[in-house]
Amino acid sequence: MNQSNSIQEYISGFSEKISVFFENNHDIAFLVFIGVFVFLLIGNILNWKWTYEPKSWVGYHWLELLGPTTYRFWHAVSLVVIIIILAIIYCTTY
């Protein structure tokens, strides 16, 4: 019991340190977000289902309506748009 509390305290402290670090380093936070979206885009291209699988009924509706291949394509397009927007904001701000 005591060990689980110490693990929770460590995780809580670690997440707080990360939050404070990103608050003080906005440029690095932008790069991390861009990296995460690039990773998701790579996963989409390599057909890693967990990277594009819908998480809501609206997503499942679009998946059923468009089909898996078209849904993946438009998901990838939206990721590219997000990456471009974040890169433009990063380049103009920092």
Side-chain angles (χ1 to χ4, degrees):
M1 187 72 144
N2 192 10
Q3 186 178 8
S4 67
N5 287 340
S6 65
I7 292 173
Q8 289 175 346
E9 289 174 6
Y10 175 77
I11 291 173
S12 175
F14 185 72
S15 64
E16 187 174 321
K17 288 178 185 177
I18 289 175
S19 176
V20 169
F21 177 78
F22 283 151
E23 284 178 13
N24 295 332
N25 301 300
H26 295 280
D27 54 336
I28 295 174
F30 262 100
L31 291 176
V32 168
F33 281 120
I34 290 171
V36 167
F37 283 114
V38 167
F39 178 73
L40 290 174
L41 179 62
I42 291 169
N44 193 332
I45 291 169
L46 295 176
N47 200 15
W48 296 343
K49 191 172 183 174
W50 62 270
T51 60
Y52 65 87
E53 187 176 60
K55 307 293 189 270
S56 68
W57 67 270
V58 176
Y60 282 109
H61 172 73
W62 282 106
L63 179 62
E64 184 179 319
L65 186 68
L66 299 173
T69 306
T70 308
Y71 180 80
R72 260 185 58 220
F73 171 77
W74 286 110
H75 190 264
V77 168
S78 66
L79 288 172
V80 168
V81 169
I82 291 170
I83 292 168
I84 290 171
I85 291 170
L86 287 175
I88 289 171
I89 292 171
Y90 178 78
C91 291
T92 58
T93 306
Y94 305 105

